[in-house]
């Protein structure tokens, strides 16, 4: 289990980066691991993987490790989950199957913009490496097989054994040559800041070996989870076609939302009652849209008008080779009220068919800097409208980036922007809106 931080893009003047209970040091405090060389013309490279979360039966077999020691996949730093008002989050709230998700080490060379990126991963038989070419010692981590090697996986398979156990090394026997396809929904930080405020180096995620933290369910498809760690072959792939992609720079989509949050972007609702990563049928022409239902800022203890909203961030997206805003001219998107009409609790804030009074802003989530201007949609002229199937209205906006005047703000230029957000300007609770086809043009 690796401790993580979550990046939230909040409205201008509040906060840009808000850590969880235990965060990580900034990414300029360490050097990225070297890029692993390609193994062949098909783009495979060598890395390593641990896992997080697990079935209750597996976790219960290792209770001595401590409560929560395996972590969970429900609260990843990419925030890829729908939020139901007053309902405890479970695996059904994730947009992807629990066997199809992973975390990427913050130190990996293609970590920038990694949220939503897809990889094909397969197990590699043999000795697990710690740093360089040195085998990792099983004395350096909580080695599950030393505690109980009789635990079976979810397919009732026994642990195949470790031929290098007497040498205190890890020799993995893979289940076969199969691979898994995973979406990145979380990060694995190089350092963990504990309660005493001292940064502590993480064994797996701060080495010179490219590292994944697969979900338990993905890991066990490749090797027995009692191993805990294995060497892997991996390659980045297109999430829909599974065709191999260029390794560096990692792919970041200029389409931020279309049926789902696209590759390279996190999903950041804030001050929310509920949030849909995707709501089927709520988008243009019956497609998916992302819809949020937000509270007022004052109900969250903020001494300001307005309310919550929705942000999207390309983490470390201002690194050279990424910078998704740098050469773009226009922010193109569609927005609608999510009220169903009179009697709906959302009607008071944004009546059905009306233009939601949202403020659009651009910023840098790490530097907490902004463009000079934030823009209220009700003061702009839509480029067009489209009726919805339930009698509502979608409003189309094409906003020139020049209107935000990034050069005149603390951000300095579009090259320094990695985040955009839509903040509710309503002082009425349960303000709800949907966004679709959000594109940097």
């Amino acid at each position: 289990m690796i401790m993580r931080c979550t990046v939230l893009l909040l409205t201008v003047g509040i906060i840009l980066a808000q850590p969880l209970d235990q965060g990580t040091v900034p990414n300029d405090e360490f050097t990225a691991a070297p890029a692993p060389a390609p193994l062949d013309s098909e783009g495979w490279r060598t890395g390593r993987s641990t896992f997080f979360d697990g079935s209750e039966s597996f976790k219960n077999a290792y209770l001595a490790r401590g409560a929560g020691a395996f972590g969970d996949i429900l609260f990843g730093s990419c925030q890829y989950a729908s939020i139901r008002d007053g309902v405890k989050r479970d695996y059904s709230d994730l947009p992807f199957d629990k066997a199809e998700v992973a975390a990427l080490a913050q130190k990996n060379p293609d970590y920038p913009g990694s949220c939503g990126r897809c990889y094909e991963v397969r197990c590699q038989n043999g000795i697990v490496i710690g740093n360089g070419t040195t085998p990792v010692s099983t004395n350096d981590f909580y080695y599950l097989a030393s505690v109980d090697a009789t635990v079976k996986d979810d397919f009732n398979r026994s642990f195949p054994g470790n031929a290098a156990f007497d040498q205190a090394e890890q020799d993995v026997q893979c289940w076969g040559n199969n691979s898994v396809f995973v979406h990145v929904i979380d990060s694995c930080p190089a350092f963990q800041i504990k309660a005493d405020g001292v940064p502590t180096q993480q064994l797996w995620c701060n080495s010179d070996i490219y590292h994944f933290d697969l979900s338990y369910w993905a890991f066990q498809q490749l090797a027995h989870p009692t191993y805990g760690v294995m060497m892997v072959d991996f390659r980045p792939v297109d999430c829909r076609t599974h065709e191999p992609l260029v390794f560096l720079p990692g792919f970041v989509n200029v389409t931020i939302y279309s049926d789902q949050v696209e590759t390279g972007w996190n999903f950041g609702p804030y001050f929310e009652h509920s949030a849909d990563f995707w709501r089927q049928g709520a988008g243009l022409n019956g497609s998916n849209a992302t819809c949020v239902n937000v509270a007022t800022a004052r109900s969250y203890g903020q001494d300001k008008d307005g309310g919550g909203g929705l942000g999207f961030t390309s983490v470390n997206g201002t690194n050279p080779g990424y910078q998704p805003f740098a050469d773009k001219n226009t922010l193109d998107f569609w927005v609608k009220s999510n009220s169903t009409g009179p009697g709906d609790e959302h009607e008071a804030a944004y009546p059905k068919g009306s233009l939601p009074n949202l403020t659009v802003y651009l910023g840098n989530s790490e530097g907490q800097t902004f463009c000079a201007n934030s823009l209220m949609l009700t003061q702009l002229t839509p480029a067009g409208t489209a009726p919805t199937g339930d009698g509502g209205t979608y409003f189309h906006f094409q906003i020139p980036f020049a209107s935000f005047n990034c050069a005149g703000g603390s951000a300095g230029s579009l090259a320094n922007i990695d985040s955009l957000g839509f903040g509710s300007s309503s002082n009425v609770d349960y303000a709800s809106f949907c966004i679709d086809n959000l594109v940097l043009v």
Side-chain angles (χ1 to χ4, degrees):
M1 162 56 182
I2 311 297
M3 295 304 299
R4 299 170 167 80
C5 68
T6 296
V7 177
L8 300 179
L9 178 63
L10 301 188
T11 191
V12 176
I14 304 177
I15 306 171
L16 268 176
Q18 178 173 313
L20 295 177
D21 293 339
Q22 296 177 340
T24 61
V25 298
N27 78 320
D28 58 3
E29 296 289 328
F30 58 86
T31 302
L39 299 174
D40 55 32
S41 61
E42 296 180 337
W44 291 100
R45 298 167 191 267
T46 293
R48 186 183 56 212
S49 181
T50 47
F51 71 83
F52 65 124
D53 211 333
S55 64
E56 289 304 309
S57 61
F58 189 86
K59 290 188 290 187
N60 288 340
Y62 299 101
L63 287 176
R65 190 181 182 191
F70 286 96
D72 67 61
I73 62 175
L74 294 176
F75 296 91
S77 59
C78 299
Q79 298 177 261
Y80 279 12
S82 292
I83 301 167
R84 294 173 289 166
D85 196 5
V87 178
K88 183 179 179 180
R89 188 175 300 184
D90 61 35
Y91 296 121
S92 68
D93 295 315
L94 296 178
F96 312 115
D97 186 89
K98 59 187 179 182
E100 299 175 352
V101 296
L104 203 64
Q106 191 181 24
K107 197 171 178 179
N108 288 350
D110 63 339
Y111 173 74
S114 55
C115 284
R117 194 177 298 145
C118 292
Y119 293 84
E120 184 177 8
V121 183
R122 65 191 184 194
C123 177
Q124 190 181 107
N125 284 300
I127 298 296
V128 175
I129 303 302
N131 268 306
T133 59
T134 304
V136 70
S137 171
T138 54
N139 296 321
D140 290 344
F141 63 99
Y142 189 92
Y143 187 48
L144 300 175
S146 294
V147 179
D148 188 348
T150 68
V151 179
K152 295 185 177 182
D153 69 6
D154 293 2
F155 300 99
N156 203 36
R157 296 175 296 195
S158 298
F159 178 56
N162 175 12
F165 181 80
D166 290 343
Q167 292 78 46
E169 296 177 0
Q170 170 93 301
D171 188 350
V172 173
Q173 296 181 46
C174 307
W175 290 132
N177 295 321
N178 62 303
S179 62
V180 295
F181 294 94
V182 293
H183 302 256
V184 175
I185 64 168
D186 205 348
S187 57
C188 183
F191 288 88
Q192 175 187 345
I193 298 179
K194 296 187 175 182
D196 59 7
V198 178
T200 301
Q201 179 172 313
Q202 306 244 49
L203 172 64
W204 304 118
C205 296
N206 194 8
S207 76
D208 57 7
I209 303 294
Y210 191 100
H211 193 79
F212 290 92
D213 211 13
L214 294 174
S215 75
Y216 164 88
W217 297 274
F219 190 104
Q220 73 169 348
Q221 293 184 58
L222 304 178
H224 199 285
T226 297
Y227 283 118
V229 59
M230 62 183 169
M231 301 304 292
V232 297
D233 297 332
F234 73 94
R235 59 183 180 180
V237 295
D238 183 277
C239 292
R240 292 177 172 85
T241 68
H242 294 170
E243 290 296 315
L245 298 177
V246 172
F247 179 55
L248 288 175
F251 176 62
V252 174
N253 203 331
V254 295
T255 297
I256 299 174
Y257 195 94
S258 175
D259 273 353
Q260 66 178 54
V261 180
E262 296 291 348
T263 300
W265 302 90
N266 83 345
F267 177 65
Y270 57 93
F271 299 165
E272 77 284 348
H273 289 295
S274 61
D276 293 312
F277 183 87
W278 51 32
R279 178 176 291 185
Q280 295 182 350
L284 287 163
N285 303 315
S287 64
N288 295 341
T290 178
C291 302
V292 295
N293 172 19
V294 299
T296 63
R298 295 188 188 281
S299 69
Y300 272 77
Q302 300 287 321
D303 186 20
K304 63 184 293 296
D305 290 336
L310 177 61
F312 301 91
T313 299
S314 184
V315 178
N316 296 163
T318 59
N319 285 20
Y322 294 89
Q323 300 175 327
F325 292 85
D327 59 349
K328 301 301 183 289
N329 297 308
T330 306
L331 181 63
D332 194 310
F333 62 93
W334 294 75
V335 60
K336 73 165 187 172
S337 161
N338 195 34
S339 174
T340 60
D344 189 326
E345 64 183 357
H346 307 134
E347 183 73 5
Y350 298 139
K352 180 179 180 179
S354 68
L355 173 61
N357 187 18
L358 305 178
T359 298
V360 186
Y361 50 91
L362 305 180
N364 181 291
S365 62
E366 285 193 281
Q368 298 189 35
T369 57
F370 298 92
C371 298
N373 300 331
S374 55
L375 306 175
M376 295 185 67
L377 294 186
T378 53
Q379 297 178 0
L380 304 177
T381 302
T385 60
T388 64
D390 63 355
T393 302
Y394 256 111
F395 296 84
H396 185 202
F397 284 89
Q398 296 175 317
I399 305 175
F401 281 119
S403 301
F404 293 95
N405 187 16
C406 295
S410 55
S413 73
L414 277 173
N416 296 326
I417 300 300
D418 63 8
S419 308
L420 67 90
F422 300 86
S424 173
S425 299
S426 175
N427 290 315
V428 179
D429 203 5
Y430 296 101
S432 189
F433 60 91
C434 300
I435 301 287
D436 196 13
N437 287 6
L438 175 60
V439 185
L440 308 179
V441 181

